[in-house]
Amino acid sequence: MRSDSIKTGLARAPHRSLLKADGLTDEEMERPFVAVISSGNEVIPGHIHLQTIADAVKAGVRMAGGTPFQMTTIGVCDGIAMNHEGMHYSLTSREVIADSVECAVQGHGFDALVLIPSCDKVVPGMLLAACRLNLPTVLVSGGPMLAGHDKCGNQTDLNSLFDAVGQVTAGTMTEEELKFLENTACPTCGSCSGMFTANSICCLSEALGIALPGNGTVPAVYSERVRLAKHAGMAVMDMLNKNITALDIINEKSIRNGMAVDMAFGGSTNTMLHLTAISRAAGCPVSMQDWDDVCAKTPNITRIAPAGSLHIEDLNAVGGVGAIMGELARHGIIDTDCMTVHGPLADWMAAQGPVDGEVVHTVENAYSPNGGLKVLQGNLAPHCGVVKQSAVSAEMRQHSGPARVFESEEEACDAIFGGKINPGDVIVIRYEGPAGGPGMREMLTPTSAICGMGLDKSVALITDGRFSGATKGPAIGHVSPEAAAGGPIALVQEGDIINIDIDKGLLELAVDDETLAARRAAWTAPEPKHKTGVLARYAKLVSSADEGAYFG
């Protein structure tokens, strides 16, 4: 066992003494040591209950003959960090989380680990660490929040609030109605109730095979979530006994399966960023062309908010991620020759019955023959731009309009809320990329304002930043190369015509090459926005969005 390095032999007597200061018995010392790493804290609603999950995991480890040790890492709530300085730290935290997990596990010689994340950057951060460590690993998240309900009984969620801000600004909602949503839209603990980034990546953890069935969809407040956590503790001990490690699970085949499931349920565009980074950590990198290929062959068979009116609890009621994967497997769209933390994927898929047809459609009755996420390219985005095409209305799949150029999210928000954006405009927000932001801020505030003010069927938004999984409408992010790197988005001028064709995957700036060359000659790289601290280091080390904004 790896843990022998801290507990076995004469030279380890000091180590044993320190462990006994923790209260360990000789009997516990003889068992495998399992790291139980939680991101529990008291500010993020997806995390406030994680001690309950951790206690259940530890019980499962003990039942299966292991000795668990709980540790914690950080988390940043994207919703609370949105639209202010805090959002610079959200994506940045992914790398800090990965590093902290790696340090804690390697520093103490653990034999296996159970990861207990919740929310947007914590899940992929922990998965990056799992790939680096390559130990027996199971991930069990805190689970999704239940949806709220308005006075008519319709489901609501966090995005309802962001849209409502625009509606109040436009005069179509009262402040009293806004207050009602404020008090009811987020009714329980858990990760926000739609197929936003946190729930997208928790669902994809099942598709990758690193989490047990139900991880992505069993609500946080269900007792089933506690039982799931106990089984996660037992499962990691089974993996340890069989010498099955994280990279036996997360590999080229399972990552491709994850990409296909992502397309099938139209997850957050952030999942493209995270899965691309995870693929690099696992040693089997994927490209934007790979994403485009998967999109072309994978039908969109589920539409959960913001792409539709349903929420994660509705998907859970009809079989969860397993139902989606089973339908894809029946049509040969995913590779069943994979291992999961609960056994062969083929066995799990063989147990899946027919889909319900309403929450999860059949492939024959898909919403679209192509995936929910789309890669765009062109002279404005030579490497890539991405859009959640399943959440774009039909009339905005092709659009041409004049550029309205803003050097930051704040400038754009001032213009939107100030009534300075006109139907037909294409909002360009730049210098918000991985290095230029730094931290590639999410922009749910401007996209929701556009929707709330009734402009989502006439106004597009393009940025080298990124979007919340709650974003809907013609919002194109991850434009690469980013403005800070001298990408073409840095050369756009007010009034330039931008052409968008989502069906053809095109993002074009209607400016001739000679003019663009002259603009490039006059362009100078901006000074870094941060000279010290974690953001300065991040800006120096981070790769471009099309590479997953990854630290190599």
Side-chain angles (χ1 to χ4, degrees):
M1 292 187 291
R2 289 178 85 246
S3 58
D4 287 345
S5 64
I6 64 168
K7 66 183 183 183
T8 300
L10 178 64
R12 299 298 182 262
H15 305 64
R16 291 193 295 274
S17 182
L18 288 168
L19 289 166
K20 288 182 177 180
D22 294 334
L24 260 66
T25 65
D26 287 331
E27 292 80 4
E28 287 174 304
M29 205 89 74
E30 292 172 358
R31 298 172 181 174
F33 283 5
V34 179
V36 177
I37 302 183
S38 164
S39 54
N41 61 70
E42 294 183 343
V43 65
I44 308 176
H47 298 230
I48 57 174
H49 63 304
L50 291 190
Q51 188 57 52
T52 299
I53 304 300
D55 288 342
V57 167
K58 289 184 287 184
V61 169
R62 291 190 183 101
M63 283 190 284
T67 298
F69 294 81
Q70 184 179 344
M71 292 178 289
T72 58
T73 186
I74 65 166
V76 173
C77 176
D78 282 29
I80 297 172
M82 195 72 65
N83 195 29
H84 62 89
E85 185 70 12
M87 184 48 75
H88 291 294
Y89 292 86
S90 173
L91 186 58
T92 303
S93 73
R94 188 187 76 181
E95 311 309 314
V96 176
I97 291 161
D99 290 348
S100 68
V101 172
E102 180 183 0
C103 288
V105 172
Q106 294 289 55
H108 300 103
F110 287 109
D111 299 302
L113 64 154
V114 179
L115 303 170
I116 309 174
S118 187
C119 298
D120 299 25
K121 309 306 162 303
V122 189
V123 183
M126 287 189 174
L127 289 176
L128 290 174
C131 292
R132 296 180 197 170
L133 293 164
N134 195 27
L135 295 171
T137 304
V138 176
L139 182 145
V140 55
S141 68
M145 182 184 291
L146 293 178
H149 293 85
D150 64 19
K151 292 180 179 179
C152 297
N154 301 308
Q155 289 182 334
T156 58
D157 53 48
L158 178 66
N159 198 35
S160 304
L161 271 300
F162 281 96
D163 286 353
V165 172
Q167 291 172 298
V168 172
T169 302
T172 58
M173 177 182 284
T174 67
E175 291 194 22
E176 289 75 19
E177 290 171 323
L178 173 65
K179 187 70 173 182
F180 178 83
L181 287 175
E182 181 181 322
N183 290 331
T184 60
C186 297
T188 71
C189 63
S191 45
C192 298
S193 56
M195 192 61 82
F196 310 147
T197 303
N199 290 329
S200 294
I201 196 70
C202 287
C203 287
L204 293 182
S205 297
E206 290 188 49
L208 290 174
I210 201 70
L212 295 171
N215 177 74
T217 61
V218 173
V221 294
Y222 282 15
S223 59
E224 184 181 353
R225 174 64 54 176
V226 177
R227 295 193 295 272
L228 184 72
K230 290 178 181 177
H231 282 294
M234 290 184 264
V236 82
M237 291 302 298
D238 185 56
M239 292 176 69
L240 180 61
N241 293 333
K242 294 176 179 176
N243 195 30
I244 298 172
T245 66
L247 293 185
D248 293 324
I249 305 293
I250 301 176
N251 52 40
E252 184 174 1
K253 289 181 179 180
S254 66
I255 287 170
R256 294 293 179 132
N257 285 346
M259 294 164 70
V261 173
D262 202 3
M263 292 295 176
F265 64 48
S268 164
T269 51
N270 282 317
T271 55
M272 296 178 72
L273 199 70
H274 298 320
L275 276 183
T276 299
I278 290 165
S279 75
R280 291 177 176 272
C284 44
V286 298
S287 67
M288 289 299 107
Q289 184 59 55
D290 293 325
W291 277 105
D292 210 31
D293 292 344
V294 173
C295 174
K297 71 176 186 180
T298 308
N300 178 215
I301 59 175
T302 303
R303 289 194 173 174
I304 304 296
S309 61
L310 300 172
H311 288 76
I312 298 296
E313 62 200 72
D314 301 304
L315 176 58
N316 185 65
V318 298
V321 175
I324 298 172
M325 293 183 70
E327 180 66 8
L328 297 181
R330 281 187 285 274
H331 290 79
I333 297 171
I334 62 172
D335 190 336
T336 60
D337 185 23
C338 293
M339 180 58 67
T340 76
V341 297
H342 52 94
L345 179 61
D347 291 351
W348 185 29
M349 294 298 94
Q352 302 303 314
V355 297
D356 71 295
E358 294 186 14
V359 179
V360 181
H361 286 206
T362 62
V363 165
E364 292 80 6
N365 190 37
Y367 286 103
S368 165
N370 306 120
L373 305 176
K374 179 67 176 175
V375 176
L376 308 180
Q377 291 179 307
N379 69 342
L380 185 51
H383 294 172
C384 84
V386 298
V387 64
K388 189 169 186 170
Q389 64 172 340
S390 59
V392 179
S393 61
E395 55 264 54
M396 287 300 290
R397 296 187 69 84
Q398 290 83 32
H399 180 75
S400 294
R404 302 296 307 279
V405 182
F406 303 96
E407 309 301 321
S408 70
E409 179 186 4
E410 288 83 358
E411 286 187 15
C413 286
D414 287 345
I416 296 167
F417 287 117
K420 298 178 181 178
I421 301 301
N422 303 309
D425 286 349
V426 179
I427 299 170
V428 177
I429 305 176
R430 61 190 180 193
Y431 296 104
E432 292 284 8
M440 204 178 180
R441 288 194 288 178
E442 285 187 349
M443 299 190 188
L444 182 56
T445 297
T447 58
S448 292
I450 289 168
C451 292
M453 296 172 75
L455 295 171
D456 56 309
K457 292 182 172 60
S458 61
V459 171
L461 191 153
I462 298 170
T463 181
D464 53 5
R466 60 193 178 90
F467 298 113
S468 163
T471 294
K472 56 184 179 289
I476 300 166
H478 303 203
V479 169
S480 303
E482 63 176 293
I489 192 172
L491 309 179
V492 181
Q493 294 185 0
E494 188 83 6
D496 286 348
I497 298 300
I498 294 176
N499 299 316
I500 301 166
D501 192 324
I502 293 174
D503 292 332
K504 293 181 179 179
L506 295 177
L507 183 58
E508 296 280 352
L509 180 64
V511 176
D512 61 77
D513 292 344
E514 184 178 349
T515 301
L516 285 178
R519 292 181 186 178
R520 180 171 298 284
W523 178 82
T524 57
E527 284 290 313
K529 295 176 183 175
H530 297 267
K531 302 286 190 355
T532 61
V534 65
L535 293 181
R537 293 194 299 274
Y538 184 87
K540 290 177 182 177
L541 296 172
V542 69
S543 73
S544 64
D546 61 296
E547 295 178 343
Y550 178 62
F551 282 12

